[in-house]
Structure formats: C-alpha cells, structure tokens
Amino acid sequence: MMAIKESRPSDGSRPGRVATIARKTKETEIRVRIDLDGSGQYRISTGIAFFDHMLESFARHGLFDLELEAKGDLQVDLHHTIEDVGISLGQAFREALGSAV
C-alpha cells in the first residue's frame, strides 16, 4: 500500500487538497486520486456497475474530482472490491485533508 500526497496551487495562495492512493492485496488492486477542490468530475471503473454509479454520484454531488480504478476477484464475491475501495477512499480523504483532520 502506498499513499502519495500531491500538492498543487489551486488559487496561488494555498496548496490543493489532492491525494493519490494505491492499494494492492491478494484479492484486489485499487488506485484512487482525489481532488477535494475539484468540480465533480470523475472517471470510475470497479467492474460493479451499481457501485460505479454510486461513486459517480458521490463525486458529482460532493463537488470533488475522483479517479478510481479497481480490479478485484469479482468471480468470487464483490465484497473484497467494495471493502478495499472504501478503505482506499478513506485513506485518500485523510491524505488530501492533511493536518485539517
């Protein structure tokens, strides 16, 4: 598992609240990039259509940009993919918020 804190000037006066998380387990491989100061843009692929829809709605209505790619053992069960996406999203939010948490 690897967390990379990114920063970019959003308005020239403060760093952007952006994070990239990569998580790999025996069952899944997840990559998340989040920009909390985005506009609701998203690119999401988990292999679970309804889950993709819910994550897209979350980003769109939350007005943050989200790139998320998940590959998992869907032939066994959806549980591992959904669980590891949740863990990765939580880590991304925590990283992007930095010392504000």
Side-chain angles (χ1 to χ4, degrees):
M1 173 174 31
M2 180 173 76
I4 303 164
K5 175 81 170 146
E6 299 179 20
S7 75
R8 62 156 175 74
S10 57
D11 62 1
S13 64
R14 63 179 176 80
R17 298 178 303 163
V18 178
T20 299
I21 300 293
R23 176 181 175 84
K24 185 171 180 156
T25 68
K26 290 187 325 186
E27 298 84 15
T28 65
E29 189 171 339
I30 315 288
R31 191 188 77 72
V32 176
R33 183 179 184 282
I34 193 166
D35 180 349
L36 298 180
D37 300 312
S39 61
Q41 301 295 310
Y42 56 83
R43 188 172 65 228
I44 297 169
S45 175
T46 67
I48 307 167
F50 183 71
F51 191 41
D52 288 354
H53 168 70
M54 296 306 290
L55 291 167
E56 290 165 359
S57 295
F58 184 43
R60 183 180 329 110
H61 297 294
L63 297 176
F64 56 87
D65 293 346
L66 179 62
E67 293 177 28
L68 190 148
E69 183 177 0
K71 296 177 184 171
D73 59 353
L74 300 180
Q75 73 283 2
V76 174
D77 197 307
L78 308 181
H79 170 89
H80 294 129
T81 301
I82 293 170
E83 178 180 42
D84 287 351
V85 165
I87 290 167
S88 299
L89 270 175
Q91 291 171 334
F93 273 102
R94 180 176 213 142
E95 285 290 321
L97 287 168
S99 61
V101 183

